[in-house]
Amino acid sequence: MAPPHRERSEPFENGCICIICVMVKILRDKIIDVLKREDYGVTVNVKGWVRTRRGNKNICFIALNDGSTIKSVQIVADLEKFSEESLRKVTTGACLSVNGILVESPGQGQQAEIHATEIDVLGEADPATYPLQKKGHSLEYLREIAHLRPRTNTFGAVFRIRHHMSMAIHTFFHERGFFYFHTPLITASDCEGAGQMFQVTTKNLYNLKMDEKGSIDFSDDFFGKQASLTVSGQLEGELGAMSLGAIYTFGPTFRAENSNTPRHLAEFWMIEPEVAFNEIEENMQLAEDFIKYCVKWALDHCQDDLEFLNDMYDKELLQRLNSVIAGEFVRLPYTKGIEILEKAVADGHQFEFPIFWGADLAAEHERYLVEEHFKKPVILTDYPKEIKSFYMKQNDDGKTVRAMDVLFPKIGEIIGGSQREESYEKLKQRADEMGVPTKDIWWYLDTRKFGTAPHSGFGLGFERLMLFVTGMANIRDVIPFPRTPRNCEF
Amino acid sequence: MAPPHRERSEPFENGCICIICVMVKILRDKIIDVLKREDYGVTVNVKGWVRTRRGNKNICFIALNDGSTIKSVQIVADLEKFSEESLRKVTTGACLSVNGILVESPGQGQQAEIHATEIDVLGEADPATYPLQKKGHSLEYLREIAHLRPRTNTFGAVFRIRHHMSMAIHTFFHERGFFYFHTPLITASDCEGAGQMFQVTTKNLYNLKMDEKGSIDFSDDFFGKQASLTVSGQLEGELGAMSLGAIYTFGPTFRAENSNTPRHLAEFWMIEPEVAFNEIEENMQLAEDFIKYCVKWALDHCQDDLEFLNDMYDKELLQRLNSVIAGEFVRLPYTKGIEILEKAVADGHQFEFPIFWGADLAAEHERYLVEEHFKKPVILTDYPKEIKSFYMKQNDDGKTVRAMDVLFPKIGEIIGGSQREESYEKLKQRADEMGVPTKDIWWYLDTRKFGTAPHSGFGLGFERLMLFVTGMANIRDVIPFPRTPRNCEF
């Protein structure tokens, strides 16, 4: 039981039952707190939305949920005290304020329930039009009403877990002395190919000025040049690492890829740590520690929500989460990975895509290594330079770069990273070879010109992590308002 | 002294001096940790960038900084052990790895220093071209080299504080049971006037298809309609609050306003909490608690950086921060505020802009109330409805709305918020009166149609908070890579 509010540092905190609060107004208790209380007999106030209503001619049971937990509190209304008329508007989706007595629930496995003394309907929900009736809805249908779906058990669970994963990320890096570094979203440099970027403009499209060569004149655009939405904060993140030592980004990122798949979003969140003086071994250790920390946080903080998702969507979810934090990740050079896959083919395993040294691995190859061969997460390193980015550190063999991809069960690649090329000459040469316009990234090259050092980093797509932790199958179901081709609702 | 790594949960943590680490490689110590150590006589390794180098023909002093703290560690190199030639490349900006013996510094007020046994130049910085020599640079000049400015004391301090303020924000809300809710950045609804928004498109601007009416056909654009960058996550945030109970956003926001001032950015970060069942009084308390929590966090965690900024930029900074957390904020209805300002005018105070009931307050009015009249922060409430947004709860007087602005010394408005209109009819009517296209926000109106409830929220411009906490005068100096009209570098 919470102490009276005058004894607490924060006045009017939830749960206060001192005389001042009770006389003035019975303050609201969050349902997550009410369900833990055992001071039966006191008066409480809860506010929330009706999930279900059932009962008979003597009694009415209302399951009320306020979003603080997946569990609803049971409100018991004695029909001798409440007229049918007064309860007419208590329908699924309606918002109630309920005063009542906290009572130990007779139901098995249930916690406290509330015997109502006063029920106030704050907001009605017309049963004829409210889109979320109690019957189960398909995930596809719920995407159409993404503005209401957080009121369901499924999406309440997913978005509470999303919060917890964000908090785990910030806490992990904060505890290790990393600084959260806000890299820009609007960018005038384009290092990954313009085809996949959204243009950002304030130009009047009805009156586009052309120069004498027939090119659109962007000198009068907001930034005085063409601008677009970033596909990564890494390059700017490296600037942070090469001054503050260790930074991470955590923010929205964009891809204008016309992919209508369960794995692609046009707007998604990324985490990108960069660390000065880290070489690839330390980068691998950081990635492994990081992802285990997040998964453990979920298991420690989101038990009710995970159990629900395990029961409803993915019976192996909890087992998979526990297995990931139990053992060491395998560390395997790409070349050895190819040998394993080639042997699998020789032994009769069928892959859709051909496998050979130099090939980019398809999801089926990654999953074979993780799920069938090693049966644990794999960090694959030292990829052929041709299939990786210009900024990765070149190995002495002249063929491979110090890339590292973390491959996970069910998900495939969950993290991609590398040691970065710290030599100005090698970096410039590789950028030129790969057609990266170095005039746009003079500032990036400057870090190698002035006080360069070995450094490493990686990127984690936050929604990939969310898919893994929640067991959901479609990336549109782990972000509140997904942006995909032809979909920009809400 | 850190225990040997085999006794610790995390192998290869910094500071390990066990035989394994020393034999294989002396692991790096962060300078923030080295400066706290007193186990003089041990061998340590530090890596960082040279801030200054001075000395005489017998000895060389190098100030080395790795970004972990504003303090540099002093490296002492005895020129009997190091040839001039071997130290030739130890210049300002160069990156070094130094092994040496930890020694108690004889200098007054200094902590440990390192007597070098081995100095390795990881990256040179040619004194002829390195843009950050040791002399003081103007903030204007440093904006031109924003990719290098985090290597200065000033920007190291600012960006470490920026991290800490982010962490304070997440921790404050997490401890209070709020959920971090990611609202979308790309939006097809436009509730604040298109003139100030950036358009987002993948259309080929050289081949814009028009329909028969001469309008650009956006049906083949990425989202199948016109889209832009959001100016606020509030409306979507309310959807989160009306299901999860209490949420906050913390993410980038955009204004395409052509304002070249020390207060405007085209891309900035906002924090927007929304809470179901909170009325304006609880909203005010939340705002006051929140901002005091952040300021107190800065005082508790960023002492060295704040002292530097206090000394170099704003001699009243620490005093101002302490004063804000010391007392209660004033709570004052707008109408009473106008009376005070009108009396000031009657008493001979000169304002540039006229003051009368119905006027929007100018910065000079806000600062008069805060700095001259009350001498403490003021929460101004119940503004005329004409100067506030359509979604604010209308008071019974028919003239005012339950808005609340938190006004701060030096900054003026630092938070703007309100209780939200929960009545569907009143909200719809006010939106129509103010020309808000309600067909674009049917989903927002739905929250009032289905299970509506009183709720409140506010918005805080993160860079406004940063200006207040750091004492910096220009908003371009509190974000790593500012985006402003005609400026999209890095």
Side-chain angles (χ1 to χ4, degrees):
Chain A
M1 188 178 83
H5 84 235
R6 278 175 302 186
E7 293 174 19
R8 281 181 273 130
S9 57
E10 291 180 24
F12 306 110
E13 205 175 2
N14 283 330
C16 180
I17 55 154
C18 80
I19 190 69
I20 296 175
C21 290
V22 173
M23 293 295 285
V24 176
K25 128 179 165 183
I26 297 172
L27 282 171
R28 172 186 171 229
D29 289 280
K30 284 195 176 183
I31 289 170
I32 192 172
D33 298 325
V34 165
L35 291 175
K36 287 179 199 150
R37 285 171 66 169
E38 295 184 351
D39 53 332
Y40 306 118
V42 302
T43 295
V44 294
N45 171 264
V46 289
K47 295 183 171 76
W49 293 270
V50 176
R51 284 291 169 81
T52 59
R53 176 192 169 168
R54 62 194 175 79
N56 54 38
K57 65 183 163 48
N58 298 320
I59 204 152
C60 168
F61 298 103
I62 303 160
L64 200 71
N65 188 287
D66 66 2
S68 63
T69 164
I70 197 163
K71 292 181 181 163
S72 298
V73 67
Q74 174 153 282
I75 310 291
V76 183
D78 183 339
L79 293 184
E80 285 192 357
K81 290 190 212 145
F82 295 91
S83 67
E84 266 298 335
E85 176 57 23
S86 75
L87 296 182
R88 194 177 49 81
K89 293 173 177 169
V90 177
T91 58
T92 296
C95 187
L96 309 185
S97 174
V98 177
N99 291 338
I101 312 293
L102 195 70
V103 173
E104 189 168 7
S105 177
Q108 214 183 5
Q110 287 189 48
Q111 297 153 299
E113 62 182 35
I114 295 170
H115 287 195
T117 52
E118 201 179 335
I119 296 177
D120 187 13
V121 179
L122 301 176
E124 304 172 30
D126 179 3
T129 56
Y130 185 58
L132 272 178
Q133 300 302 330
K134 74 176 171 182
K135 66 180 164 57
H137 299 288
S138 73
L139 295 174
E140 290 75 15
Y141 171 75
L142 292 174
R143 269 173 232 145
E144 306 282 312
I145 51 166
H147 63 310
L148 296 174
R149 68 179 179 168
R151 296 187 187 183
T152 63
N153 281 334
T154 298
F155 288 95
V158 167
F159 297 141
R160 280 186 295 271
I161 293 170
R162 194 173 164 108
H163 162 75
H164 274 285
M165 288 301 87
S166 303
M167 200 62 207
I169 289 162
H170 285 296
T171 307
F172 175 85
F173 289 118
H174 178 69
E175 286 176 347
R176 280 153 190 79
F178 285 61
F179 301 108
Y180 186 28
F181 195 68
H182 289 123
T183 51
L185 273 71
I186 301 177
T187 178
S189 60
D190 162 17
C191 300
E192 314 232 358
Q196 301 198 329
M197 295 178 92
F198 289 102
Q199 298 175 72
V200 174
T201 181
T202 54
K203 283 185 80 76
N204 178 350
L205 301 186
Y206 288 96
N207 186 17
L208 287 172
K209 209 166 56 176
M210 302 280 178
D211 65 17
E212 53 273 25
K213 290 182 198 150
S215 295
I216 293 169
D217 179 4
F218 285 96
S219 67
D220 64 346
D221 205 350
F222 189 89
F223 296 109
K225 57 171 95 167
Q226 252 188 305
S228 48
L229 291 175
T230 190
V231 297
S232 163
Q234 179 200 316
L235 302 195
E236 289 91 352
E238 288 186 45
L239 304 179
M242 295 298 277
S243 48
L244 300 169
I247 65 91
Y248 68 106
T249 72
F250 181 15
T253 315
F254 305 88
R255 295 278 152 82
E257 207 177 323
N258 196 10
S259 300
N260 252 313
T261 82
R263 289 305 174 88
H264 289 85
L265 290 170
E267 177 182 326
F268 56 100
W269 285 62
M270 277 244 285
I271 299 102
E272 299 184 289
E274 286 289 331
V275 191
F277 314 117
N278 264 12
E279 305 205 7
I280 192 167
E281 294 78 13
E282 292 147 318
N283 204 34
M284 285 193 277
Q285 193 62 48
L286 182 72
E288 180 171 343
D289 291 347
F290 170 62
I291 206 153
K292 284 179 171 174
Y293 186 95
C294 292
V295 172
K296 185 162 187 319
W297 183 295
L299 288 165
D300 289 346
H301 294 80
C302 309
Q303 200 184 346
D304 291 341
D305 290 324
L306 287 176
E307 277 173 11
F308 174 84
L309 295 171
N310 188 83
D311 290 349
M312 298 295 289
Y313 291 97
D314 182 347
K315 299 274 190 255
E316 292 167 3
L317 174 62
L318 286 168
Q319 182 205 318
R320 202 181 307 114
L321 298 182
N322 279 303
S323 82
V324 158
I325 59 172
E328 299 286 304
F329 295 2
V330 174
R331 295 172 190 206
L332 187 77
Y334 167 92
T335 301
K336 289 234 166 103
I338 295 294
E339 286 169 15
I340 292 168
L341 292 165
E342 284 176 336
K343 178 155 191 313
V345 171
D347 291 349
H349 192 94
Q350 305 259 330
F351 291 116
E352 187 182 347
F353 296 98
I355 190 72
F356 53 91
W357 199 97
D360 212 349
L361 297 192
E364 58 177 346
H365 304 129
E366 296 174 345
R367 295 185 64 170
Y368 177 84
L369 290 172
V370 172
E371 294 172 13
E372 302 198 37
H373 189 82
F374 290 107
K375 297 189 168 46
K376 56 169 88 171
V378 174
I379 310 183
L380 213 57
T381 61
D382 301 294
Y383 284 73
K385 65 180 180 182
E386 284 73 17
I387 59 173
K388 289 291 180 183
S389 300
F390 74 97
Y391 49 69
M392 296 191 177
K393 184 174 171 69
Q394 297 162 47
N395 281 319
D396 292 337
D397 62 12
K399 295 192 300 183
T400 60
V401 289
R402 285 199 194 162
M404 49 161 257
D405 284 1
V406 181
L407 311 179
F408 252 43
K410 207 177 171 193
I411 301 290
E413 183 195 326
I414 193 162
I415 281 179
S418 74
Q419 185 167 343
R420 315 308 186 186
E421 182 56 74
E422 81 251 29
S423 152
Y424 177 84
E425 289 72 24
K426 287 186 185 170
L427 180 66
K428 177 78 167 56
Q429 187 192 338
R430 195 75 194 119
D432 289 339
E433 284 170 11
M434 297 182 81
V436 176
T438 50
K439 71 172 173 34
D440 292 347
I441 52 165
W442 60 272
W443 43 270
Y444 180 67
L445 297 173
D446 261 10
T447 52
R448 276 62 169 184
K449 210 182 266 177
F450 303 116
T452 191
H455 62 289
S456 300
F458 60 81
L460 170 87
F462 186 51
E463 285 75 19
R464 287 272 172 106
L465 175 65
M466 281 296 299
L467 286 173
F468 182 74
V469 171
T470 62
M472 301 298 285
N474 192 315
I475 202 164
R476 297 163 200 221
D477 295 334
V478 296
I479 191 169
F481 305 101
R483 267 66 182 115
T484 53
R486 308 195 65 75
N487 172 31
C488 194
E489 280 297 325
F490 314 108
Chain B
M1 190 179 81
H5 84 236
R6 277 174 302 184
E7 292 174 20
R8 282 182 271 131
S9 57
E10 291 181 24
F12 308 110
E13 205 173 2
N14 283 329
C16 180
I17 55 154
C18 80
I19 190 67
I20 296 175
C21 292
V22 173
M23 293 295 285
V24 176
K25 130 179 163 182
I26 298 170
L27 282 171
R28 171 185 171 230
D29 290 280
K30 283 195 177 184
I31 289 171
I32 192 171
D33 298 325
V34 164
L35 291 175
K36 287 180 198 148
R37 285 171 66 169
E38 297 182 350
D39 53 335
Y40 306 117
V42 302
T43 295
V44 296
N45 171 263
V46 291
K47 295 184 172 76
W49 293 269
V50 176
R51 283 293 168 80
T52 58
R53 174 190 169 169
R54 62 194 174 80
N56 53 37
K57 64 183 162 48
N58 299 319
I59 204 152
C60 167
F61 298 104
I62 303 160
L64 199 71
N65 188 287
D66 67 2
S68 63
T69 163
I70 196 163
K71 293 181 180 161
S72 297
V73 68
Q74 174 154 282
I75 310 292
V76 182
D78 184 338
L79 294 185
E80 286 192 359
K81 288 191 216 147
F82 295 92
S83 67
E84 266 299 334
E85 175 56 26
S86 75
L87 297 181
R88 195 177 47 80
K89 293 174 177 170
V90 177
T91 58
T92 297
C95 187
L96 309 185
S97 174
V98 177
N99 291 339
I101 312 294
L102 196 70
V103 174
E104 189 167 8
S105 177
Q108 215 183 7
Q110 288 190 47
Q111 297 154 300
E113 61 183 35
I114 296 170
H115 288 195
T117 53
E118 199 179 337
I119 296 178
D120 187 12
V121 179
L122 301 176
E124 304 171 31
D126 179 3
T129 56
Y130 185 57
L132 271 178
Q133 299 305 329
K134 73 176 172 182
K135 67 180 162 59
H137 299 288
S138 74
L139 295 174
E140 290 74 14
Y141 170 75
L142 292 173
R143 268 173 232 145
E144 306 283 311
I145 51 166
H147 63 308
L148 295 174
R149 67 178 180 170
R151 295 187 186 184
T152 64
N153 281 332
T154 298
F155 288 95
V158 167
F159 298 139
R160 280 186 295 270
I161 293 171
R162 193 172 165 109
H163 162 76
H164 275 284
M165 289 301 86
S166 303
M167 201 62 208
I169 290 162
H170 285 295
T171 308
F172 176 86
F173 288 117
H174 178 69
E175 286 175 349
R176 281 153 190 79
F178 285 60
F179 301 108
Y180 186 27
F181 195 67
H182 289 123
T183 51
L185 273 71
I186 301 177
T187 177
S189 61
D190 162 17
C191 299
E192 315 230 358
Q196 302 198 327
M197 295 178 91
F198 289 101
Q199 297 175 70
V200 174
T201 180
T202 54
K203 283 185 78 78
N204 178 351
L205 301 185
Y206 288 95
N207 187 16
L208 288 171
K209 207 168 56 178
M210 303 280 178
D211 64 18
E212 53 273 26
K213 290 180 196 150
S215 296
I216 293 169
D217 180 4
F218 285 95
S219 66
D220 64 346
D221 204 350
F222 190 89
F223 296 110
K225 58 170 96 168
Q226 253 188 303
S228 49
L229 291 176
T230 190
V231 296
S232 163
Q234 179 200 316
L235 302 194
E236 289 90 351
E238 288 186 45
L239 304 178
M242 296 297 278
S243 48
L244 300 169
I247 65 90
Y248 68 106
T249 71
F250 182 14
T253 316
F254 305 88
R255 294 279 151 83
E257 207 177 323
N258 196 10
S259 300
N260 251 313
T261 82
R263 290 304 175 88
H264 289 85
L265 289 171
E267 176 180 327
F268 56 100
W269 285 62
M270 278 243 285
I271 300 102
E272 299 184 288
E274 287 289 331
V275 191
F277 313 118
N278 264 11
E279 308 207 2
I280 192 168
E281 293 79 13
E282 291 148 318
N283 204 34
M284 285 193 276
Q285 191 62 50
L286 182 70
E288 181 171 343
D289 292 347
F290 169 62
I291 205 154
K292 284 178 170 174
Y293 185 95
C294 292
V295 172
K296 185 162 185 317
W297 183 295
L299 289 166
D300 289 346
H301 293 81
C302 309
Q303 202 184 345
D304 293 340
D305 290 324
L306 287 177
E307 278 173 11
F308 174 83
L309 295 171
N310 189 84
D311 290 347
M312 298 296 288
Y313 292 97
D314 182 347
K315 298 274 189 253
E316 293 168 1
L317 175 62
L318 286 168
Q319 182 204 316
R320 201 181 308 116
L321 298 182
N322 278 301
S323 82
V324 158
I325 59 173
E328 299 287 303
F329 296 2
V330 174
R331 295 172 191 207
L332 187 78
Y334 167 92
T335 301
K336 290 236 165 100
I338 295 294
E339 286 169 15
I340 291 167
L341 292 166
E342 285 176 334
K343 179 154 187 314
V345 171
D347 292 348
H349 192 95
Q350 306 258 331
F351 289 117
E352 187 183 349
F353 295 99
I355 190 72
F356 54 91
W357 199 98
D360 211 350
L361 297 193
E364 56 175 348
H365 305 128
E366 295 174 345
R367 295 186 63 170
Y368 177 85
L369 290 173
V370 172
E371 294 171 14
E372 302 197 35
H373 189 82
F374 290 107
K375 296 190 170 46
K376 56 170 87 171
V378 174
I379 310 183
L380 212 58
T381 61
D382 301 294
Y383 283 73
K385 65 179 180 183
E386 284 75 16
I387 60 172
K388 289 292 180 183
S389 299
F390 75 98
Y391 49 70
M392 295 192 178
K393 183 173 171 71
Q394 297 162 50
N395 281 319
D396 292 337
D397 63 13
K399 295 193 300 183
T400 59
V401 289
R402 284 200 193 161
M404 50 162 254
D405 284 359
V406 182
L407 311 179
F408 251 43
K410 208 177 168 192
I411 301 291
E413 182 196 325
I414 193 162
I415 281 179
S418 74
Q419 186 167 341
R420 315 307 188 188
E421 182 57 73
E422 82 251 28
S423 153
Y424 178 83
E425 289 73 23
K426 286 186 186 172
L427 180 66
K428 177 79 166 61
Q429 186 191 339
R430 195 75 193 118
D432 289 339
E433 284 170 11
M434 297 182 82
V436 175
T438 51
K439 70 170 175 35
D440 291 346
I441 51 164
W442 60 271
W443 44 272
Y444 180 67
L445 297 173
D446 262 10
T447 52
R448 276 62 169 183
K449 210 182 267 178
F450 304 116
T452 191
H455 62 289
S456 300
F458 60 81
L460 170 86
F462 186 52
E463 284 75 18
R464 287 273 173 105
L465 175 66
M466 281 297 299
L467 286 174
F468 183 74
V469 171
T470 61
M472 300 299 283
N474 192 315
I475 202 164
R476 297 164 200 220
D477 295 333
V478 296
I479 190 168
F481 306 100
R483 267 67 181 114
T484 53
R486 308 195 64 74
N487 172 30
C488 194
E489 279 297 325
F490 312 109

